Amino acid sequence: MNDATRAFRAARDSLLRHREDYAGAIAHFDWPRLTHFNWALDWFDTIARGKDRNALCIVGGVPEPRTATFAQLSARSSQVANHLRSLGVRRGDPIMLMLGNEPALWETMLAAIKLGAPFIPCSVLLTPRDLAERIARSGARHVVTSGAYGDRFADMTGARICVGDVAMPKGWVNHDASYDFPDTFTPDGETRADDPLIYYFTSGTTSQPKLVVQTHASYPIGHLTTMYWIGIKPGDVHFNLSSPGWAKHAWSSLFAPWNGEATIVAMNMDRFDANALLQCLADQRVTTFCAPPTVWRMLIQLNLKPWREKLCLRELASAGEPLNPEVIARIRNTWGLTIRDGYGQTETPAVIANSPGQPLREGSVGRPMPGFRIELLDAEGRPAEEGEICIALTPERPVGLMQGYLNAPEATAKVMRDGFYHTGDVAMRDAEGWYTYVGRADDVFKASDYRISPFELESVMVACPGIAEAAVVPSPDPVRTAVPKAFVTVTAGTRVDSTFARAVFVYTRRELAAYKRVRRIQFVDELPKTISGKIRRVQLRADEAKRRVADQRGEREFLEEDFPDLKREV
């Protein structure tokens, strides 16, 4: 064990010792500040020696789960690294990586880290045009992808590796050729901790996706806080429901669980199947489970009580967007477990969260994670009780923060200014230091000069019987400037008509202050989302503005004034 490994382990073990002691974790945690560090060589290979416990279990796509022990993955990733090196992949060469949840994905990620070649995870949903733009912006020189997607990289040069038993186009090499290479790997030198490790495109909910640069320190070491938030410990079986290509997959299907020496469970589904998911949780004896709010909202549509005795779950978590209190309450009442919210970005690990063993406050996303000092700043850059979530860069910059945006110094300077990293998200903080997420700064709006948080209104909407999901945006209004309008989807079997619309208006009037009331409701089959599953309110907002300019009413849209008798209800 070298000095870097010892320092990393000491920081990890400090968080494990204080797993349910928030004050102790804050007081005793220090970031390991390393000059050289290669997580795959210095950490993963070290913990993998002689370890025959499963590191990875992939369910779906084939009749039996595919598994690999820590020792097997250590050796296998070395074979892949040697194969990539033979094909001309060198330290610093960006590798485009577009795979589903399959063994080759984890083998290649570990191999790329060992080589010092930054990898660029891509969703399998991206089109050839999307990929061409990402290749140009990232400078990708090589690609590893499934055989089914090879034709999307027709113009790619460099090493082209095809995964799967398929006919390979000319110039492509099959991933299985790596089995002929040695299962030990010798690096060409030390890896600097500040070398690029991974390039991630942001989800692009309000603007064009930015290209985030994470280093060999910022994500592997940074995600010690994600391990702490979720509550992962050695021997756990962790399932994170996330698609490859998005940062949450690296958060909780790579770094956090293996930082904690847990088994990673992943699942392949052509379409989301809640019953198949529950069966997987039971069959694989999953102990820690993290899923986005959309999945939790789907799960509570089922009868979950019969599953309570079948599951081994100890910790539940949610991330991606804030989770509505109604969903948390439903799961707690059914399973006796509380879903703990966490907050972070592609640019960070978990920075604010509800950690294990701590009391939860309804609607709160938690408290700052160890190693981070959080300030809320108003529009003038002054500390406030409600404002933009900002991470202090002094007296020392947190290790768990991106290096910057690739080839975008102005964009980097814009968010790294005046001694803070500016997240672009707005929150409130109470007197005891608990944070409540308000929304993206671009999503918060004013109605009759009152500030409106879409998330607060959406939480009320989804608590209404019959409503599955909701997105609230401003709808232009000649009197109030704007009024809150909700786009909603309904649960199976719910009939959308004027009677139901009136019932929804009545419900929200009883739950919301007058200035926050939803004045317009439009029922839709689905909400527009990014590939990563986040609601694109910016699109709804733009479409709504155009509709009002044209003086058009949306299909299946109901206005408050359609029901003049509503005033008698509240």
Side-chain angles (χ1 to χ4, degrees):
M1 186 183 299
N2 60 28
D3 289 344
T5 306
R6 277 190 285 272
F8 183 86
R9 183 181 288 279
R12 193 281 302 258
D13 289 352
S14 175
L15 293 178
L16 290 178
R17 279 195 302 274
H18 300 284
R19 191 175 156 276
E20 296 190 358
D21 174 13
Y22 176 76
I26 294 292
H28 292 94
F29 179 77
D30 287 310
W31 292 111
R33 298 185 180 277
L34 307 175
T35 303
H36 296 92
F37 185 59
N38 186 300
W39 183 78
L41 294 169
D42 296 327
W43 178 249
F44 188 85
D45 280 0
T46 299
I47 63 172
R49 290 191 189 112
K51 187 171 289 186
D52 292 328
R53 184 165 51 81
N54 281 344
L56 181 64
C57 174
I58 301 174
V59 178
V62 293
E64 295 296 325
R66 291 168 287 177
T67 62
T69 68
F70 280 90
Q72 287 170 337
L73 265 180
S74 174
R76 189 70 194 100
S77 60
S78 290
Q79 288 182 312
V80 175
N82 287 319
H83 181 219
L84 291 172
R85 179 186 279 170
S86 76
L87 296 173
V89 179
R90 297 290 180 262
R91 182 180 297 276
D93 286 358
I95 303 172
M96 186 74 71
L97 186 56
M98 192 168 83
L99 295 166
N101 282 322
E102 50 195 305
L105 174 64
W106 281 267
E107 295 168 1
T108 307
M109 289 191 293
L110 286 170
I113 297 172
K114 290 181 177 184
L115 283 164
F119 57 100
I120 308 151
C122 295
S123 167
V124 299
L125 299 177
L126 294 175
T127 66
R129 181 178 178 180
D130 295 328
L131 292 167
E133 189 257 345
R134 293 182 180 219
I135 290 168
R137 289 180 60 191
S138 67
R141 298 182 184 179
H142 315 284
V143 61
V144 180
T145 189
S146 298
Y149 312 127
D151 59 353
R152 302 184 196 178
F153 296 91
D155 298 327
M156 191 72 181
T157 58
R160 290 173 288 176
I161 296 91
C162 178
V163 176
D165 186 16
V166 295
M168 290 176 295
K170 184 179 179 180
W172 287 73
V173 177
N174 197 289
H175 177 75
D176 286 350
S178 58
Y179 282 102
D180 295 331
F181 285 78
D183 62 5
T184 58
F185 177 79
T186 302
D188 64 2
E190 289 187 293
T191 300
R192 288 192 55 84
D194 58 1
D195 281 347
L197 165 79
I198 186 169
Y199 298 159
Y200 257 124
F201 285 86
T202 60
S203 56
T205 54
T206 60
S207 62
Q208 184 188 41
K210 298 182 285 289
L211 189 50
V212 174
V213 179
Q214 296 288 358
T215 70
H216 283 265
S218 63
Y219 248 29
I221 298 175
H223 283 299
L224 288 171
T225 68
T226 306
M227 176 201 76
Y228 173 73
W229 155 52
I230 296 172
I232 297 169
K233 57 185 180 180
D236 271 339
V237 179
H238 178 64
F239 187 177
N240 166 57
L241 194 62
S242 179
S243 298
W246 300 105
K248 189 59 174 62
H249 195 272
W251 275 43
S252 301
S253 293
L254 180 62
F255 295 114
W258 284 346
N259 280 351
E261 298 180 65
T263 299
I264 293 171
V265 173
M267 192 174 185
N268 281 310
M269 291 185 285
D270 292 333
R271 293 181 62 84
F272 178 75
D273 184 331
N275 282 299
L277 168 61
L278 291 167
Q279 192 62 57
C280 177
L281 293 174
D283 291 345
Q284 303 308 320
R285 303 183 66 80
V286 171
T287 55
T288 58
F289 176 50
C290 185
T294 299
V295 169
W296 288 113
R297 294 182 195 119
M298 291 179 177
L299 285 175
I300 64 171
Q301 307 304 319
L302 303 179
N303 178 12
L304 297 177
K305 288 183 179 179
W307 291 94
R308 181 168 182 169
E309 301 305 318
K310 300 177 183 179
L311 301 176
C312 300
L313 292 169
R314 186 189 72 247
E315 307 289 353
L316 304 179
S318 179
E321 289 188 310
L323 188 60
N324 315 95
E326 168 72 9
V327 180
I328 296 173
R330 292 273 295 276
I331 293 293
R332 183 191 296 124
N333 293 338
T334 306
W335 285 351
L337 297 171
T338 300
I339 306 170
R340 293 181 290 101
D341 245 338
Y343 166 80
Q345 299 182 315
T346 304
E347 292 89 338
T348 72
V351 296
I352 303 174
N354 290 291
S355 53
Q358 303 304 301
L360 267 70
R361 302 194 178 184
E362 184 172 305
S364 173
V365 74
R367 294 178 287 183
M369 289 289 91
F372 289 100
R373 182 167 68 85
I374 305 297
E375 288 284 0
L376 299 182
L377 301 180
D378 65 17
E380 284 71 44
R382 299 171 302 196
E385 296 308 305
E386 178 175 346
E388 184 183 15
I389 301 170
C390 295
I391 298 172
L393 303 178
T394 57
E396 287 189 291
R397 193 181 195 272
V399 171
L401 181 61
M402 70 166 182
Q403 189 177 74
Y405 299 117
L406 185 67
N407 299 325
E410 291 183 1
T412 302
K414 182 179 179 181
V415 297
M416 304 280 192
R417 67 182 191 276
D418 303 325
F420 292 94
Y421 164 66
H422 294 252
T423 67
D425 290 311
V426 177
M428 297 182 294
R429 181 180 56 232
D430 68 17
E432 295 177 295
W434 295 80
Y435 289 74
T436 298
Y437 184 82
V438 174
R440 287 294 296 171
D442 293 334
D443 289 334
V444 175
F445 63 93
K446 283 192 174 183
S448 296
D449 211 35
Y450 290 99
R451 205 155 179 263
I452 303 295
S453 161
F455 174 66
E456 182 182 3
L457 275 60
E458 290 161 7
S459 294
V460 171
M461 296 294 294
V462 299
C464 178
I467 290 182
E469 287 193 293
V472 172
V473 300
S475 178
D477 182 85
V479 177
R480 298 182 176 93
T481 305
V483 296
K485 175 177 175 177
F487 292 83
V488 300
T489 63
V490 299
T491 56
T494 299
R495 181 180 177 183
V496 175
D497 55 19
S498 60
T499 301
F500 179 65
R502 184 184 183 281
V504 175
F505 276 120
V506 170
Y507 180 88
T508 57
R509 287 175 71 88
R510 291 173 177 170
E511 298 294 325
L512 292 168
Y515 74 91
K516 298 179 183 177
R517 286 175 183 162
V518 174
R519 308 284 180 175
R520 297 165 186 168
I521 300 172
Q522 184 169 345
F523 297 96
V524 295
D525 293 331
E526 59 182 358
L527 296 171
K529 296 179 180 179
T530 65
I531 296 176
S532 62
K534 294 183 180 180
I535 297 171
R536 295 201 76 242
R537 293 175 187 82
V538 65
Q539 179 180 330
L540 293 172
R541 190 170 182 161
D543 292 345
E544 179 64 12
K546 292 177 183 177
R547 191 178 296 113
R548 293 304 159 192
V549 167
D551 196 24
Q552 296 175 343
R553 179 183 286 215
E555 185 179 356
R556 296 197 296 175
E557 180 179 9
F558 296 86
L559 313 182
E560 193 178 46
E561 50 264 37
D562 294 339
F563 308 97
D565 62 329
L566 280 176
K567 294 181 180 179
R568 297 199 300 267
E569 295 292 341
V570 181

